[in-house]
């Protein structure tokens, strides 16, 4: 039982390049989330998906797009990377949308130069 | 806007003592509050959830209190061990959908 799996673990991009961060969960959870974590800022929600087929913006969605490919997978795309997007990205999932714990992946450390 | 404050300074305590971490929040009344542990280079791991109508919750050596009047949660680790050394994050649910707003975390170091 792997839980939440993110790929890649590390990535270096040049400004303007695009990439997709992949996330998959094997717990049959309905809801999935993308957060970024920056020093001194805490985790901030980028996008979330309450259920398969739905996505919505979080606190810091600018510069990102998401796709809920199916119940298991939720990807995050950077169309034109900027240095301000240098961060650690975490995917999370939860069984429901109320009173429920979130399970996090191990993170993707992204550097944009 | 909603603000969550946790002690930014590291908390150093001796093994066997009780560690107490504080989470204060403003401009919001969350339905529940969660505590997570994060080790370096790893994702957060859920520890406890406490609802607005619960004053206290326990799990093994962990205890969480939730005072909605003071807008404060306290997180206690009793009989602390070096293995408890980590960063502890407070998170509030905001706007439904289990969307969490996190504090910046408090680093705990338990020394022998």
């Amino acid at each position: 039982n792997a839980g939440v799996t993110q790929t890649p673990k590390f990535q270096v991009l040049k400004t303007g390049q695009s990439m997709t961060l992949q996330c998959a969960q094997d717990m049959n959870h309905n809801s999935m989330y993308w957060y970024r974590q920056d020093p001194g800022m805490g985790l901030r929600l980028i996008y979330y998906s309450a259920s398969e087929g739905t996505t919505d913006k979080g606190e810091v969605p600018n510069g990102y797009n998401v796709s809920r490919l199916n119940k298991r997978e939720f990807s995050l795309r950077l169309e034109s990377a900027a240095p301000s997007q240098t961060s650690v990205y975490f995917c999370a999932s939860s069984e429901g949308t109320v009173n429920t714990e979130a399970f996090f992946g191990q993170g993707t450390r992204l550097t944009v130069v | 806007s909603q603000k969550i404050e946790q002690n930014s300074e590291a908390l150093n305590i001796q093994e066997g003592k009780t560690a107490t971490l504080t989470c204060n929040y403003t401009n919001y009344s969350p339905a529940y509050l969660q505590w997570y542990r994060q080790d370096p280079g790893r994702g957060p791991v859920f520890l406890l959830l406490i609802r607005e109508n619960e004053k206290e919750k326990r799990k093994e050596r962990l205890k969480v209190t939730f005072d909605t009047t003071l807008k404060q949660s306290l997180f206690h680790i009793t009989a602390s061990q070096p293995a408890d050394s980590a960063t502890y994050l407070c998170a509030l649910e905001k706007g439904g959908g289990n969307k969490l707003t996190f504090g910046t975390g408090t680093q705990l170091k338990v020394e022998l």
Side-chain angles (χ1 to χ4, degrees):
Chain A
N1 191 340
V4 179
T5 302
Q6 293 182 233
T7 55
K9 288 187 173 60
F10 301 94
Q11 183 72 49
V12 178
L13 288 179
K14 294 182 179 178
T15 297
Q17 285 186 318
S18 62
M19 79 161 293
T20 299
L21 280 64
Q22 307 286 354
C23 174
Q25 53 91 9
D26 61 3
M27 296 172 282
N28 201 36
H29 284 170
N30 290 308
S31 302
M32 298 186 72
Y33 312 82
W34 277 105
Y35 290 88
R36 61 178 287 175
Q37 186 173 36
D38 302 291
M41 299 285 292
L43 284 144
R44 292 181 292 168
L45 183 65
I46 305 171
Y47 269 94
Y48 71 99
S49 171
S51 60
E52 185 179 356
T54 69
T55 62
D56 210 342
K57 295 177 181 179
E59 181 185 354
V60 288
N62 291 346
Y64 305 95
N65 285 302
V66 290
S67 295
R68 184 75 182 266
L69 305 170
N70 47 55
K71 192 171 186 179
R72 289 187 65 248
E73 298 171 290
F74 188 38
S75 62
L76 178 72
R77 183 161 178 83
L78 287 70
E79 290 291 350
S80 178
S84 61
Q85 294 178 305
T86 293
S87 187
V88 181
Y89 292 84
F90 289 100
C91 177
S93 70
S94 64
E95 185 175 350
T97 57
V98 180
N99 283 339
T100 180
E101 66 187 275
F103 293 81
F104 284 81
Q106 78 278 24
T108 296
R109 186 173 293 276
L110 175 67
T111 302
V112 182
V113 298
Chain B
S1 63
Q2 181 184 27
K3 194 172 180 182
I4 303 172
E5 292 182 346
Q6 295 186 256
N7 277 355
S8 57
E9 291 182 14
L11 176 63
N12 297 328
I13 64 168
Q14 269 191 321
E15 183 179 19
K17 300 292 186 183
T18 296
T20 298
L21 285 67
T22 304
C23 175
N24 294 301
Y25 60 93
T26 58
N27 299 332
Y28 194 62
S29 297
Y32 54 91
L33 181 151
Q34 302 184 21
W35 283 88
Y36 288 79
R37 169 184 173 139
Q38 187 173 25
D39 292 285
R42 309 292 296 271
V45 175
F46 172 81
L47 295 174
L48 281 167
L49 180 153
I50 186 165
R51 297 175 179 79
E52 60 180 338
N53 61 348
E54 297 175 318
K55 297 294 184 186
E56 180 180 300
K57 203 149 191 186
R58 293 174 184 263
K59 178 182 176 183
E60 298 173 350
R61 294 185 295 112
L62 308 180
K63 184 179 86 171
V64 171
T65 63
F66 192 10
D67 189 325
T68 56
T69 301
L70 290 179
K71 294 188 181 296
Q72 181 182 79
S73 175
L74 299 179
F75 177 80
H76 306 273
I77 305 175
T78 58
S80 59
Q81 306 165 358
D84 294 327
S85 299
T87 296
Y88 291 86
L89 308 174
C90 165
L92 305 183
E93 176 273 338
K94 179 184 178 184
N98 203 39
K99 300 189 294 293
L100 300 175
T101 299
F102 283 84
T104 53
T106 298
Q107 186 178 13
L108 173 67
K109 294 181 182 177
V110 181
E111 300 164 339
L112 293 170

